[in-house]
Amino acid sequence: MRQGVRPAVVLCGPMGSGKSAVGRRVGNVLGVDVLDTDHEIEERAGRTIAEIFADDGEPAFRALERDVVVESLCAHDGVLSLGGGAVLDADTRRALAAYRGEGGVVVFLDVSARQAMLRIGTDARRPMLHADGETPRQRWIRIAAERRGVYEEVASHIVATDRGTPGAVARRVLDLLPQR
Ligand code: S3P
């Protein structure tokens, strides 16, 4: 782990807020790598997130996610894109607060239920949206409402993503970064 290395920016927000698409564009403009915690977890585990949830349960997934986020905050110098539920973990929140305390930028990508569901569509790879007794849309609305305060707590900035292309949203994120 390289000491003193910090991400250029951290993106958080609910499923369908555009973290991956916006993160890629921000990374392209800055000329840095993008680390998507979902991808990193799948690489390390050699399984998909849906498989980890099904085989080991959500708590095991959250433990892997916390390790990836806390490590990446000290070792990744590009864009760090967090899975929607990463902010639920107290260690992750403490690590994000420390990163912000050192001048780090954490952006909450905000999105309406309507727009998020349009982006997610029929993508069945998100286990959090599938449970008995609720539609994916109902679950998204409930989960997003439960987490909203946490996103606001960890973020230094909120960027609305309903309007504009991922490139336009990326430019709004880039405007928040100190000159490099
Ligand atoms: C989750 C969001 C997903 C992924 C996992 C759980 C959540 O990431 O980490 O399915 O709890 O909101 P995205 O936000 O990138 O879809």
Side-chain angles (χ1 to χ4, degrees):
M1 197 178 289
R2 288 176 290 162
Q3 292 301 321
V5 171
R6 292 282 183 266
V9 61
V10 176
L11 302 179
C12 68
M15 292 171 272
S17 56
K19 300 180 294 287
S20 303
V22 172
R24 270 196 302 277
R25 284 160 180 83
V26 172
N28 281 343
V29 173
L30 295 177
V32 297
D33 290 338
V34 181
L35 193 149
D36 184 312
T37 59
D38 289 342
H39 290 160
E40 182 67 19
I41 291 164
E42 290 185 335
E43 288 267 308
R44 288 191 190 187
R47 287 178 290 167
T48 65
I49 287 171
E51 286 167 344
I52 300 169
F53 265 76
D55 296 346
D56 303 339
E58 184 181 348
F61 170 77
R62 296 296 173 204
L64 289 173
E65 184 173 51
R66 180 201 54 230
D67 290 350
V68 167
V69 177
V70 171
E71 280 176 32
S72 303
L73 281 169
C74 302
H76 177 66
D77 60 2
V79 176
L80 179 61
S81 176
L82 305 184
V87 296
L88 297 174
D89 183 86
D91 287 342
T92 293
R93 290 201 298 277
R94 270 191 290 276
L96 286 170
Y99 165 73
R100 276 186 60 185
E102 294 171 4
V105 177
V106 181
V107 180
F108 164 21
L109 294 182
D110 200 3
V111 65
S112 67
R114 182 171 176 279
Q115 197 60 38
M117 293 316 293
L118 283 172
R119 291 179 192 158
I120 293 168
T122 54
D123 185 347
R125 287 172 300 182
R126 288 180 172 87
M128 289 298 290
L129 291 181
H130 301 283
D132 292 341
E134 272 180 318
T135 64
R137 180 186 166 81
Q138 286 168 334
R139 277 185 71 75
W140 188 96
I141 290 171
R142 189 169 52 73
I143 291 169
E146 284 167 5
R147 294 177 181 170
R148 185 169 187 89
V150 186
Y151 293 132
E152 289 175 348
E153 174 198 319
V154 300
S156 48
H157 305 275
I158 302 177
V159 168
T161 69
D162 270 24
R163 285 169 200 270
T165 60
V169 176
R171 284 194 288 281
R172 280 177 234 149
V173 171
L174 287 159
D175 284 345
L176 301 171
L177 304 185
Q179 293 298 321
R180 288 158 64 92

